[in-house]
């Protein structure tokens, strides 16, 4: 594991944060991004499979990611993301806005479930016909989900955000996913200009660019 | 201050809407409990943000996705845990439950009569492994939380309602299926004996799902 920055031992006002996941982005990247955007020091703990096997039994749900806050574990990627988003101001300006961010995130989870098999095949973790899966499963799934996102971006005033007037964790999750998706299927979301505008605006934020430039390069 | 108006729209069943109804009833908040028949749904579908139900309308503003609805109402009315970290644990357990529910859903859809299938084979080959993966975890969680009648913290949260509703549905159609998990059953029984919830359960319309 890598300590991202040293912690000063005489100034323990902030809790300590350790975020553990595999060496990839998945649905954990959004949390890394929010920790970075908020200027919060955290341990970006990336485990290889053999390291994970040693500690798996001690994880509350036997899964990654895990956030440790002052040593107390919290599992489940979106529970982690939402917790950090609330803490750092990326969860919308009102409870109703926060609920809409949640709704889009859960819709995204449904979409990710639909394309899961394709991703496993594309990354070589499973056997299958990549082209067939793309045509029969992924293209319709992209169409369904990204139409929802495009409509949402428009209803939100085409302001470069999916919800409200400032960056939320759904902007971050979708933006990173588009980059991963288009690494597999070039121009996959060209038909959704307002969604692409959210990605453009999100990734042009200087503090996020800082992270994007220095983070380990991974395909997923 | 004037209360917002609440309208909840779903099929005529419990499944993905019941927790919202329960939160509103527990909080003594009047709401419009709209139930759509399978026949009427197709024409309504495109009027909803995600083409899905349940849908909550708060002063006419729509909110889709069941967990977003539950979490929003729980937060408004005090069923989301006693600290931000506790709320996050409620969310985490709910998402873990959703992962299990996604696995067992094909079996439930057959039991509820929405799909064709070999019920016995599905219970043996799909429901049983899904249960065996998830319920030992839930059993441990109930015990580690002190068998205090809650799965997280020491006050009623929406994940208590979520799990209790599911266990009730399982008991309705597969009695004995969860008999290996006494701490879960004990916790669920304590949850459903919360006076106002007991009242709702006793007077609500009986449905297959």
């Amino acid at each position: 594991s890598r300590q991202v920055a040293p912690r000063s031992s005489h100034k323990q006002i902030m809790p300590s944060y350790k975020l553990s996941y595999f060496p990839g982005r998945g649905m954990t990247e959004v949390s890394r991004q929010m920790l970075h955007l908020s200027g919060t020091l955290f341990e970006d703990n990336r485990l290889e499979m053999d390291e994970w096997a040693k500690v798996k039994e001690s994880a509350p749900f036997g899964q990654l990611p895990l956030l440790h806050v002052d040593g107390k574990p919290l599992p489940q990627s979106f529970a982690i993301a939402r917790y950090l988003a609330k803490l750092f101001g990326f969860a919308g300006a009102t409870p109703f806005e926060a609920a809409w961010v949640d709704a889009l995130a859960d819709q995204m989870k449904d979409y990710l479930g639909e394309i899961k098999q394709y991703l496993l095949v594309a990354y070589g973790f499973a056997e299958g016909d990549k082209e067939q899966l793309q045509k029969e499963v992924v293209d319709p799934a992209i169409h369904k989900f990204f139409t929802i996102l495009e409509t949402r971006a428009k209803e939100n005033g085409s302001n470069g955000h999916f919800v409200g007037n400032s960056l939320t964790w759904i902007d971050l999750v979708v933006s990173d996913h588009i980059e991963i998706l288009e690494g597999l299927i070039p121009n996959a979301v060209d038909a959704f200009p307002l969604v692409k505008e959210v990605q453009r605006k999100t990734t042009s934020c200087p503090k996020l660019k800082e992270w994007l430039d220095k983070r380990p390069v991974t395909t997923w | 201050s004037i209360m917002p108006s609440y309208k909840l729209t779903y099929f005529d069943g419990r499944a993905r809407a019941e927790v919202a109804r329960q939160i509103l009833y527990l909080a003594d908040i009047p709401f419009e409990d709209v139930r759509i028949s399978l026949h009427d749904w197709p024409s309504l579908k495109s009027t909803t943000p995600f083409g899905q139900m349940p849908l909550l309308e708060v002063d006419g503003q729509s909110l889709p996705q069941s967990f977003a609805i539950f979490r929003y109402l729980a937060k408004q009315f005090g069923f989301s845990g006693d600290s931000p970290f506790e709320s996050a644990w409620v969310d985490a357990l709910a998402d873990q439950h959703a992962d299990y529910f996604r696995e067992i859903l094909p079996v439930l859809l057959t039991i509820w009569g929405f799909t064709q299938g070999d019920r016995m084979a599905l219970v043996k080959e799909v429901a049983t492994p899904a249960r065996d993966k998830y319920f030992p975890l839930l059993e441990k969680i109930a015990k580690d939380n002190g068998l205090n009648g809650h799965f997280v913290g020491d006050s009623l949260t929406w994940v208590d309602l979520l799990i209790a509703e599911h266990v009730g549905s399982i008991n309705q159609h597969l009695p004995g299926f969860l008999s290996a998990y006494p701490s879960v059953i004990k916790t669920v029984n304590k949850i459903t004996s919360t006076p106002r919830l007991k009242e709702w359960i006793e007077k609500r319309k009986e449905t297959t799902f």
Side-chain angles (χ1 to χ4, degrees):
Chain A
S1 71
R2 262 170 51 242
Q3 193 90 18
V4 171
R7 253 186 343 119
S8 151
S9 60
H10 64 278
K11 245 205 220 178
Q12 246 165 293
I13 305 164
M14 288 292 290
S16 69
Y17 294 98
K18 176 166 119 176
L19 186 57
S20 302
Y21 190 53
F22 301 109
R25 290 181 270 160
M27 292 296 110
T28 302
E29 179 66 10
V30 58
S31 291
R32 296 184 183 122
Q33 292 182 358
M34 286 190 287
L35 284 158
H36 179 83
L37 284 167
S38 66
T40 304
L41 305 178
F42 71 104
E43 197 184 329
D44 185 7
N45 186 28
R46 296 172 187 241
L47 294 100
E48 299 294 344
M49 286 305 284
D50 59 335
E51 291 174 289
W52 167 235
K54 286 188 217 145
V55 299
K56 188 177 151 89
E57 263 200 59
S58 67
F61 293 168
Q63 291 169 347
L64 292 177
L66 264 183
L67 176 71
H68 282 87
V69 183
D70 277 344
K72 291 191 302 175
L74 174 68
Q76 279 287 352
S77 57
F78 280 5
I80 293 168
R82 185 179 301 106
Y83 174 76
L84 294 174
K86 283 217 339 252
L87 205 51
F88 301 133
F90 300 111
T94 66
F96 200 74
E97 269 184 23
W100 257 96
V101 174
D102 291 346
L104 289 166
D106 274 356
Q107 195 66 21
M108 176 152 187
K109 224 185 226 190
D110 290 345
Y111 152 79
L112 288 171
E114 287 168 20
I115 69 168
K116 183 178 172 178
Q117 193 56 30
Y118 168 82
L119 292 174
L120 289 173
V121 171
Y123 289 124
F125 294 122
E127 299 281 331
D129 185 333
K130 203 175 89 164
E131 279 69 35
Q132 187 191 21
L133 279 168
Q134 182 184 329
K135 188 157 162 246
E136 290 174 15
V137 178
V138 179
D139 288 346
I142 289 173
H143 178 78
K144 186 171 100 178
F145 179 56
F146 280 82
T147 300
I148 286 172
L149 287 178
E150 187 76 2
T151 305
R152 185 81 274 275
K154 186 167 182 195
E155 285 173 354
N156 199 47
S158 305
N159 63 358
H161 301 293
F162 289 116
V163 179
N165 297 314
S166 61
L167 187 68
T168 66
W169 62 282
I170 191 65
D171 294 340
L172 293 169
V173 173
V174 172
S175 296
D176 201 65
H177 174 71
I178 291 172
E179 204 248 337
I180 289 172
L181 184 66
E182 292 193 323
L184 292 167
I185 306 172
N187 311 114
V189 300
D190 272 6
F192 308 99
L194 294 178
V195 177
K196 294 211 76 167
E197 175 56 21
V198 174
Q199 186 197 23
R200 189 208 62 78
K201 183 169 175 151
T202 298
T203 55
S204 64
C205 155
K207 189 92 175 136
L208 184 61
K209 267 177 96 133
E210 203 177 86
W211 172 260
L212 297 178
D213 287 341
K214 76 171 186 182
R215 71 180 175 186
V217 176
T218 58
T219 49
W220 60 274
Chain B
S1 71
I2 302 166
M3 281 298 298
S5 69
Y6 294 95
K7 176 165 138 182
L8 184 70
T9 307
Y10 189 56
F11 296 109
D12 191 10
R14 303 182 311 276
R16 294 190 193 276
E18 184 65 6
V19 169
R21 297 185 185 118
Q22 291 179 358
I23 293 170
L24 288 160
Y25 190 76
L26 281 163
D28 202 8
I29 303 292
F31 67 101
E32 216 185 317
D33 185 4
V34 178
R35 294 160 187 251
I36 305 292
S37 70
L38 284 163
H39 177 263
D40 290 341
W41 169 236
S43 58
L44 216 62
K45 196 173 148 83
S46 61
T47 68
T48 64
F50 293 175
Q52 289 165 354
M53 296 196 289
L55 190 70
L56 179 72
E57 288 166 78
V58 184
D59 277 345
Q61 299 225 326
S62 293
L63 176 67
Q65 278 288 350
S66 56
F67 280 15
I69 292 169
F70 300 165
R71 187 180 300 106
Y72 172 76
L73 293 173
K75 185 82 196 159
Q76 294 298 105
F77 302 120
F79 297 103
S80 63
D82 295 332
S83 70
F85 198 75
E86 224 172 72
S87 294
W89 257 96
V90 171
D91 290 346
L93 183 56
D95 274 356
Q96 196 69 17
H97 181 86
D99 289 345
Y100 149 79
F101 187 79
R102 212 169 283 123
E103 287 175 17
I104 199 175
L105 184 60
V107 188
L108 293 173
L109 289 173
T110 300
I111 290 174
W112 293 335
F114 292 110
T115 56
Q116 299 281 1
D118 181 338
R119 183 185 151 131
M120 263 179 63
L122 281 167
V123 169
K124 180 160 172 242
E125 290 158 26
V126 180
T128 299
R131 173 198 67 190
D132 293 348
K133 202 168 82 176
Y134 171 61
F135 272 83
L137 175 69
L138 214 50
E139 183 76 0
K140 181 176 194 297
I141 284 172
K143 285 199 207 132
D144 287 352
N145 205 41
L147 276 178
N148 66 354
H150 303 291
F151 288 102
V152 177
D154 48 29
S155 62
L156 190 66
T157 66
W158 65 275
V159 76
D160 287 337
L161 299 175
L162 183 73
I163 294 169
E165 163 51 33
H166 176 68
V167 168
S169 286
I170 293 289
N171 289 344
Q172 181 186 3
H173 294 287
L174 297 172
F177 189 66
L178 301 175
S179 58
Y181 309 101
S183 301
V184 175
I185 300 299
K186 201 166 174 181
T187 303
V188 166
N189 287 342
K190 279 194 179 171
I191 291 164
T192 54
S193 59
T194 305
R196 192 130 168 104
L197 182 60
K198 187 163 187 272
E199 200 180 281
W200 169 265
I201 292 171
E202 275 165 8
K203 73 173 189 181
R204 75 185 170 193
K205 174 180 179 180
E206 265 204 50
T207 53
T208 316
F209 66 97

